[in-house]
Amino acid sequence: MGEGERRSVYPEPMSRGPIRSAHLLWLLLGSLVPMLLFLDFLVGESGRREVFLQADLRVRQDGAPPFALAGPLTGEAAIDGLLVGGEVQLTEGRYPWRPTPREGSFTLRLDSDFLQNGQPGVRTQGFVASYQERDLERADRWASPLTPCEGRIEVVELLTRPGAKGLSAVDAAVLNVDLLCTGTGPDLLWGTGDERVWAIEGPLEVKAGVGG
């Protein structure tokens, strides 16, 4: 085999220009991916739905003058519905609504059947409610036992999103609560004459929107 033939066996060295261009292209694409993901995250954050829950309830114990349980509550998705609740310092029931040394804790759980039926009207099923009151002046912050409530809820407005669940399912709601919560007294016994009854009534309002 001649010298020229031996040289043809080994390929000529490739120019490094195209290799560098390909590497540069891949580097540019690699740097764009994190940027696109970050922009997508920002868009998702700016489009996140914010839900506001406002209570304007009146709490009356054993027929006494009512306290006001008014203010923002929190909401979260339950197993098959929506859980609303919060602890609010009670105020006097008349203007200027002076704060009292008491705190009321109210929770309301709406199941999926309640949320799926958007028709206005009064309902006595599809929800579970409870109430607890705390004396803020006591050193031990004594609280009444957790008291179950029953009664009715009037649906004034209930707009939901098809297919959604929990808190994200509600676009807007106005509910009028009318409940009686009966529990034991400080001795935690029934039939001893110190049982307590709280009447809770008033509107709950839910509004949802896209945050900025």
Side-chain angles (χ1 to χ4, degrees):
M1 182 180 294
E3 184 178 352
E5 292 178 345
R6 287 199 300 273
R7 288 178 181 176
S8 64
V9 173
Y10 300 99
E12 293 291 333
M14 295 181 63
S15 173
R16 295 186 178 182
I19 295 178
R20 290 176 179 176
S21 300
H23 286 176
L24 181 61
L25 178 61
W26 283 111
L27 287 174
L28 288 175
L29 291 176
S31 63
L32 283 175
V33 170
M35 185 179 298
L36 292 174
L37 292 175
F38 179 69
L39 290 175
D40 181 69
F41 170 77
L42 291 180
V43 172
E45 287 294 305
S46 63
R48 178 173 294 176
R49 298 175 75 249
E50 295 182 354
V51 181
F52 304 93
L53 300 105
Q54 180 70 26
D56 190 12
L57 305 178
R58 295 294 178 268
V59 180
R60 188 188 303 270
Q61 178 184 337
D62 300 326
F67 292 137
L69 193 157
L73 301 180
T74 59
E76 61 185 49
I79 296 177
D80 63 344
L82 171 65
L83 181 64
V84 176
E87 297 179 353
V88 179
Q89 185 172 3
L90 302 179
T91 61
E92 294 180 355
R94 294 182 179 182
Y95 182 80
W97 299 296
R98 296 181 179 87
T100 69
R102 306 196 71 79
E103 183 180 71
S105 176
F106 177 72
T107 60
L108 174 65
R109 182 181 179 276
L110 308 176
D111 64 22
S112 58
D113 292 336
F114 191 107
L115 295 176
Q116 290 173 4
N117 181 8
Q119 295 297 320
V122 176
R123 306 184 193 177
T124 58
Q125 296 180 340
F127 64 89
V128 177
S130 63
Y131 180 72
Q132 190 174 33
E133 203 166 279
R134 188 184 304 273
D135 187 345
L136 301 178
E137 288 187 334
R138 292 177 59 104
D140 56 358
R141 294 293 182 91
W142 173 84
S144 64
L146 186 64
T147 305
C149 307
E150 58 182 11
R152 63 180 194 170
I153 296 178
E154 179 188 6
V155 176
V156 179
E157 179 185 21
L158 180 56
L159 302 178
T160 58
R161 308 176 70 194
K165 296 182 179 180
L167 189 61
S168 62
V170 182
D171 277 334
V174 178
L175 310 175
N176 278 332
V177 173
D178 186 4
L179 303 172
L180 284 180
C181 312
T182 304
T184 60
D187 60 4
L188 305 181
L189 298 174
W190 291 99
T192 58
D194 63 347
E195 289 80 9
R196 295 180 173 181
V197 178
W198 286 273
I200 301 178
E201 57 184 6
L204 288 173
E205 185 173 2
V206 181
K207 291 184 178 180
V210 178

